[in-house]
Amino acid sequence: MAFTQSPLPYAPDALEPHLSARTFEFHYGKHHAAYVTNLNKLTEGTTLASLPLEEVIQSTFGDSSKAGIFNNAAQVWNHSFFWSSLSPNGGGTPSGILAEKIDRSFGSFERFKDEFKTAATTQFGSGWAWLVSDAGTLKVTKTANAENPLVHNQVPLLTLDVWEHAYYIDYQNRRPDFIQTFLDSLVNWEFVAGNLPT
Ligand code: MN
């Protein structure tokens, strides 16, 4: 198997009560795992199978004949990045250089949160909300389906999965409650700070 599923960085029940072990049973154990299986099937015996995942994503983006490979490769990457964006001791406020950059880019941490909430809430249908570094400025973006900042020359710092499968078991249709809980109690700000370009 060329591509493997990254291990969860915490126990499946570590984020309870905010995200349940049952959510991880499906989201990590079924959805994320299936993207890895599909990517391996689609790339088996091709030159793509030996490339780093990021290069598979960047080299298949926008090629309609490779849409299936792009979608599965990007979803493998996005989910690994999402698990690392969460922490059992998450939430609160960032500090240090990251806090300064957020203040400089958005005006304040509160304004960043408002912008992120709006992006995550208004992504129509399946997709992702992101905090990215774009030419030295921090920005909030949203992408549809599997698309991610790697194909837009942006450095991903933080992501939230807003596909329904990410929150339906714990929040049903209440996506805004899921987003609020993510910001209040789950964001791994140390991971975000570590992703800042130097
Ligand atoms: Mn997902």
Side-chain angles (χ1 to χ4, degrees), residues 94-192:
S95 59
I97 292 170
L98 175 61
E100 287 168 25
K101 281 184 178 284
I102 286 175
D103 286 347
R104 209 178 308 141
S105 300
F106 299 99
S108 68
F109 182 59
E110 289 307 310
R111 285 177 65 178
F112 154 74
K113 284 199 290 187
D114 286 344
E115 209 173 304
F116 193 91
K117 270 187 263 189
T118 299
T121 307
T122 60
Q123 172 52 40
F124 187 76
S126 296
W128 300 80
W130 304 86
L131 174 65
V132 303
S133 177
D134 187 343
T137 301
L138 302 197
K139 291 179 182 171
V140 165
T141 67
K142 56 184 176 177
T143 59
N145 301 316
E147 197 173 310
N148 72 33
L150 297 176
V151 298
H152 298 295
N153 292 316
Q154 297 166 329
V155 179
L157 305 178
L158 169 72
T159 197
L160 175 61
D161 186 344
V162 294
W163 286 56
E164 272 188 355
H165 70 222
Y167 57 88
Y168 215 82
I169 289 173
D170 295 319
Y171 297 86
Q172 292 78 50
N173 61 320
R174 292 174 285 113
R175 190 195 286 191
D177 291 353
F178 171 58
I179 298 164
Q180 190 68 51
T181 300
F182 171 76
L183 290 168
D184 290 344
S185 307
L186 292 173
V187 175
N188 184 343
W189 287 114
E190 287 180 16
F191 173 71
V192 179

Side-chain angles (χ1 to χ4, degrees), residues 10-163:
Y10 33 72
D13 64 353
L15 303 187
E16 291 189 348
H18 309 300
L19 285 178
S20 65
R22 188 151 174 80
T23 280
F24 280 97
E25 181 187 333
F26 282 87
H27 200 181
Y28 178 80
K30 308 284 185 195
H31 291 278
H32 192 196
Y35 294 126
V36 177
T37 302
N38 290 337
L39 177 61
N40 281 319
K41 275 187 200 155
L42 291 167
T43 56
E44 194 178 359
T46 75
T47 53
L48 291 171
S50 56
L51 290 182
L53 186 57
E54 288 82 357
E55 286 184 33
V56 176
I57 293 166
Q58 285 162 336
S59 66
T60 57
F61 178 63
D63 181 344
S64 59
S65 72
K66 296 196 169 70
I69 296 173
F70 171 80
N71 285 333
N72 283 283
Q75 286 293 80
V76 170
W77 192 94
N78 293 348
H79 282 88
S80 297
F81 196 78
F82 177 49
W83 310 137
S84 294
S85 293
L86 309 172
S87 166
N89 308 305
T93 55
S95 59
I97 292 170
L98 175 61
E100 287 168 25
K101 281 184 178 284
I102 286 175
D103 286 347
R104 209 178 308 141
S105 300
F106 299 99
S108 68
F109 182 59
E110 289 307 310
R111 285 177 65 178
F112 154 74
K113 284 199 290 187
D114 286 344
E115 209 173 304
F116 193 91
K117 270 187 263 189
T118 299
T121 307
T122 60
Q123 172 52 40
F124 187 76
S126 296
W128 300 80
W130 304 86
L131 174 65
V132 303
S133 177
D134 187 343
T137 301
L138 302 197
K139 291 179 182 171
V140 165
T141 67
K142 56 184 176 177
T143 59
N145 301 316
E147 197 173 310
N148 72 33
L150 297 176
V151 298
H152 298 295
N153 292 316
Q154 297 166 329
V155 179
L157 305 178
L158 169 72
T159 197
L160 175 61
D161 186 344
V162 294
W163 286 56

